[in-house]
């Protein structure tokens, strides 16, 4: 629009030629219009430059966010790799436990077969006793001996039979005891295996959450990249438009200045031509007057001729003096003056204030509930995390690892797992819950997740999808999984 206005003003200049006075008037108006339009362009450029500065700031913020997202993705990917390694180890332990269970089951089958065989022998022995009577009269056997040698032989036989029966019964009892022990061992292994499977399921659930989180972060990063590219393209286009507009304006200004210069030069030449013509006319008139004077005085004496010549000389001297005065007047014009400006500066001061709280219990509670703030948005969930210096430095926690670390900042020791922490402190009802209490949730298992209550139905903890974050337990997933267990660690 501004370019069209400038072209239109140039057309007016081309069509506005005529008399010297009218041309000068048109040029004066065109220059004024051009200067006004130049001011408008400068104002528009100032606005564009301001927009460009804002866009550059936004671009810098986007780049910073992209850098933060890349760091977060690296943390999540590292956590996923650690969790996958732990899952692989757990699967190996499960495979070993299954092999041990299979071996125990084979041993149990062998014991059952041997016990059943011994049961059959006992049945046969009992049946033989029943055929010979309900019991053996050892006294009759001994007294019925024919001689002393027969007596000794019978006593030894009875002793061997009794010992064999006792050994048989003892072995039978041992087999039953061994069977019971192996069955108990199998049941323990199966229970342990079930617990490991539950843990594995929980780890796989956390891994899925982390993978979803990683996918969302990647999508967000790609979106930021697209927005950055679009913003950069818009900046390039706007900069190109601005550069083109500036070039057009400069060209129009140069053309206008050239036209003005040419017209001024033409006017100056015309003025010189007029002066030359006036001078020639004046000189012609003076010459004619001189000739007339000479003709009138031809009959006079030489003194009259000298007087006429002196008068002509004085007239020429007066003319030269007048020209010299005009030149001096022109050389003394065009003075300039300067004005001085002063600069002022201002300074501002800032002050900060700090406050401290007293009371041992409240201090510890404040320490516990605020310890994790620096990890919000700057951490990642790692199964078994938070138990080494490396994990703490890099914000790698699981739920119980985070609560254990947070309480340790107040000098309080907690167990390493939710199963240990759920039995520490004093249990209170949720209506009595206060900041610093532990709250438990039934996630992949009973009391599978733990956090630190903040009050107002909110808690802080390390969640699988967010890392350390504040969550709302008044609705949604955490309201559904909260099991009512509240443990007070700090009274």
């Amino acid at each position: 629009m501004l370019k069209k206005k400038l072209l239109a003003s140039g057309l007016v200049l081309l069509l506005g030629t005529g008399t010297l006075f009218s041309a000068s008037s048109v040029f004066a108006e065109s220059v004024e219009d051009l200067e006004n339009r130049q001011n408008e362009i400068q104002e528009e450029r100032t606005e564009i430059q301001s927009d460009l500065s804002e866009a550059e700031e936004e671009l810098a913020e986007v780049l910073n966010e992209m850098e933060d997202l890349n760091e977060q993705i690296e943390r999540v990917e590292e956590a996923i790799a650690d969790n996958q390694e732990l899952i692989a180890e757990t699967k190996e332990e499960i495979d070993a436990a299954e092999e041990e269970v299979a071996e125990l089951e084979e041993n149990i089958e062998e014991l059952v077969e041997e016990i059943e065989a011994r049961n059959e022998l006992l049945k046969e022995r009992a049946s033989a006793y029943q055929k010979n009577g309900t019991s053996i009269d050892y006294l009759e056997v001994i007294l019925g001996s024919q001689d002393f040698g027969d007596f000794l032989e019978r006593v030894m036989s009875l002793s061997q039979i009794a010992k064999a029966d006792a050994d048989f019964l003892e072995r039978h009892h041992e087999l039953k005891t061994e069977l019971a022990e192996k069955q108990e061992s199998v049941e323990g292994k199966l229970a342990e295996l079930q617990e490991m499977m539950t843990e594995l399921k929980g780890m796989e659930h956390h891994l899925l959450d982390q993978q979803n989180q990683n996918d969302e972060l990647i999508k967000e990063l790609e979106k930021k990249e697209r927005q950055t590219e679009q913003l950069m393209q818009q900046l390039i286009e706007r900069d190109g438009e601005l550069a083109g507009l500036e070039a057009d304006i400069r060209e129009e200004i140069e053309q206008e200045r050239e036209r003005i210069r040419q017209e001024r030069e033409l006017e100056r030449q015309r003025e010189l031509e007029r002066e030359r013509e006036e001078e020639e006319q004046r000189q012609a008139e003076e010459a004619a007057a001189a000739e007339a004077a000479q003709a009138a005085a031809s009959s006079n004496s030489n003194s009259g001729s000298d007087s006429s010549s002196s008068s002509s000389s004085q007239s020429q001297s007066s003319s030269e003096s007048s020209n010299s005065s005009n030149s001096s007047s022109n050389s003394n014009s065009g003075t300039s003056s300067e004005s001085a400006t002063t600069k002022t500066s201002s300074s501002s001061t800032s002050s900060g204030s700090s406050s401290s709280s007293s009371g041992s219990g409240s201090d510890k509670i404040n320490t516990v509930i605020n310890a994790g703030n620096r990890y919000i948005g700057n951490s990642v969930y790692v199964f078994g995390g938070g138990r080494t210096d490396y994990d703490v430095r890099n914000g790698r926690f699981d739920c119980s690892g985070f609560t254990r670390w947070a309480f340790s900042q107040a000098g309080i020791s907690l167990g390493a797992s939710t199963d240990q922490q759920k039995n520490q402190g004093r249990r209170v009802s949720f209506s009595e819950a206060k900041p610093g209490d532990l709250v438990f949730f039934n996630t992949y298992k009973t009391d599978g997740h733990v956090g630190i209550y903040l009050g107002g139905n909110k808690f802080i903890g390390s969640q699988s999808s967010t890392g350390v974050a504040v969550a709302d337990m008044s609705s949604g997933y955490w309201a559904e999984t909260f099991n009512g267990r509240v443990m007070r660690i700090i009274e």
Side-chain angles (χ1 to χ4, degrees):
M1 185 65 180
L2 292 173
K3 183 178 178 181
K4 291 181 179 178
K5 290 180 180 179
L6 292 173
L7 293 175
S9 65
L11 182 61
V12 170
L13 288 174
L14 292 175
L15 296 176
T17 58
T19 64
L20 180 61
F21 177 78
S22 61
S24 299
S25 177
V26 170
F27 279 128
E29 292 176 356
S30 298
V31 170
E32 184 178 357
D33 291 341
L34 188 59
E35 289 177 348
N36 292 334
R37 290 181 174 84
Q38 186 177 11
N39 291 333
E40 292 177 0
I41 295 299
Q42 289 176 348
E43 291 177 358
E44 183 177 358
R45 185 183 178 189
T46 300
E47 294 178 358
I48 292 175
Q49 292 295 335
S50 177
D51 292 341
L52 288 173
S53 297
E54 293 178 359
E56 289 175 354
E57 292 177 359
E58 292 177 1
L59 180 59
E61 291 177 0
V62 169
L63 293 176
N64 289 334
E65 291 178 4
M66 290 173 62
E67 184 177 355
D68 293 340
L69 283 175
N70 280 324
E71 292 177 357
Q72 180 67 7
I73 287 175
E74 291 177 359
R75 287 194 294 266
V76 171
E77 288 177 346
E78 182 181 3
I80 288 175
D82 292 343
N83 285 346
Q84 287 176 335
E85 181 179 355
L86 185 57
I87 286 176
E89 293 175 357
T90 303
K91 286 183 177 179
E92 291 178 359
E93 293 178 1
I94 288 175
D95 292 339
E98 288 177 344
E99 291 179 0
E100 186 175 354
V101 168
E103 183 178 353
L104 287 175
E105 289 177 346
E106 290 179 0
N107 292 337
I108 288 174
E109 290 179 359
E110 293 176 357
L111 288 175
V112 169
E113 290 177 358
E114 185 175 353
I115 289 173
E116 289 178 352
R118 287 181 174 276
N119 284 334
E120 291 297 326
L121 288 176
L122 288 174
K123 288 179 181 179
E124 292 176 1
R125 184 70 60 87
S127 177
Y129 287 156
Q130 288 176 356
K131 289 179 181 179
N132 297 324
T134 57
S135 61
I136 299 176
D137 192 345
Y138 291 100
L139 184 60
E140 291 180 358
V141 173
I142 294 173
L143 296 177
S145 56
Q146 297 177 358
D147 52 27
F148 183 73
D150 185 34
F151 172 77
L152 292 176
E153 184 177 352
R154 290 190 178 201
V155 170
M156 291 181 63
S157 296
L158 288 174
S159 176
Q160 290 177 355
I161 291 173
K163 184 176 184 304
D165 288 344
D167 291 344
F168 184 86
L169 292 174
E170 183 179 357
R171 177 58 181 162
H172 190 67
H173 177 72
E174 290 176 354
L175 289 175
K176 285 186 175 181
T177 302
E178 184 179 357
L179 175 60
E181 290 176 351
K182 287 185 179 293
Q183 286 177 336
E184 183 179 357
S185 176
V186 168
E187 291 175 357
K189 285 291 181 181
L190 289 175
E192 183 180 353
L193 181 61
Q194 183 63 37
E195 181 67 20
M196 292 174 67
M197 288 295 292
T198 302
E199 294 289 337
L200 177 60
K201 184 178 179 181
M203 283 189 286
E204 290 175 342
H205 172 72
H206 293 311
L207 179 59
L208 179 61
D209 286 343
Q210 288 182 328
Q211 288 174 336
N212 292 336
Q213 180 189 9
N214 203 15
D215 292 341
E216 290 298 323
L217 289 175
I218 292 174
K219 290 179 181 178
E220 186 176 353
L221 178 59
E222 292 174 349
K223 181 179 178 181
K224 292 290 185 182
E225 288 177 341
R226 290 193 299 270
Q227 291 176 345
T228 303
E229 292 174 356
Q230 293 174 358
L231 181 59
M232 291 178 65
Q233 185 63 31
Q234 290 174 0
L235 290 176
I236 292 172
E237 291 176 357
R238 291 176 65 184
D239 186 61
E241 292 174 358
L242 179 60
L245 186 58
E246 286 180 335
D248 291 342
I249 293 171
R250 285 194 299 268
E251 183 179 357
E252 291 294 334
I253 291 175
E254 290 300 324
Q255 290 176 358
E256 191 66 17
R257 287 176 177 175
E258 180 62 22
R259 291 190 189 99
I260 294 173
R261 188 190 65 79
Q262 290 176 359
E263 286 300 323
R264 287 178 177 175
E265 180 65 22
L266 180 60
E267 183 180 359
R268 189 180 67 83
Q269 291 176 358
R270 289 175 179 175
E271 182 67 23
L272 291 175
E273 181 65 22
R274 284 197 304 271
E275 291 178 354
R276 185 181 64 79
E277 290 175 353
E278 290 176 356
E279 180 66 20
E280 289 177 353
Q281 184 178 359
R282 185 183 62 78
Q283 291 177 357
E285 290 176 352
E286 289 180 353
E291 290 177 357
Q294 288 177 356
S298 61
S299 60
N300 295 333
S301 63
N302 290 334
S303 61
S305 177
D306 292 339
S307 175
S308 176
S309 176
S310 175
S311 175
S312 176
S313 176
Q314 288 177 356
S315 176
Q316 183 176 1
S317 175
S318 175
S319 176
E320 291 177 353
S321 175
S322 176
N323 290 336
S324 175
S325 176
N326 290 335
S327 176
S328 176
S329 176
N330 290 334
S331 65
N332 288 331
S333 64
T335 60
S336 63
S337 64
E338 296 181 352
S339 62
T341 60
T342 60
K343 297 181 180 180
T344 60
S345 63
S346 62
S347 63
S348 62
T349 60
S350 62
S351 62
S353 62
S354 61
S355 61
S356 61
S357 60
S358 61
S360 177
S362 61
D363 284 349
K364 289 183 177 180
I365 291 174
N366 288 332
T367 298
V368 169
I369 64 178
N370 293 317
N373 289 343
R374 63 190 175 104
Y375 290 114
I376 294 177
N378 188 34
S379 59
V380 66
Y381 184 96
V382 177
F383 199 88
R387 293 160 178 81
T388 65
D389 290 339
Y390 174 80
D391 286 345
V392 173
R393 285 197 309 271
N394 293 276
R396 295 157 47 92
F397 296 96
D398 64 5
C399 62
S400 57
F402 171 73
T403 53
R404 182 172 183 265
W405 172 83
F407 274 88
S408 71
Q409 303 308 295
I412 299 173
S413 177
L414 291 183
S417 66
T418 55
D419 288 337
Q420 293 174 331
Q421 293 181 11
K422 72 180 183 181
N423 294 315
Q424 291 187 264
R426 178 173 64 89
R427 183 165 184 172
V428 297
S429 64
F430 183 62
S431 62
E432 298 175 301
K434 68 177 185 180
D437 292 344
L438 294 179
V439 287
F440 291 82
F441 304 84
N442 294 341
T443 52
Y444 67 95
K445 68 174 185 178
T446 301
D447 299 315
H449 187 71
V450 62
I452 303 171
Y453 189 62
L454 299 177
N457 289 318
K458 297 184 183 300
F459 73 95
I460 185 172
S462 181
Q463 282 69 256
S464 59
S465 60
T466 60
V468 177
V470 176
D472 188 353
M473 54 191 294
S474 62
S475 61
Y477 176 76
W478 297 114
E480 295 172 359
T481 55
F482 177 57
N483 60 18
R485 180 184 289 275
V486 180
M487 301 304 296
R488 178 155 301 163
I489 307 299
I490 303 174
E491 295 292 344

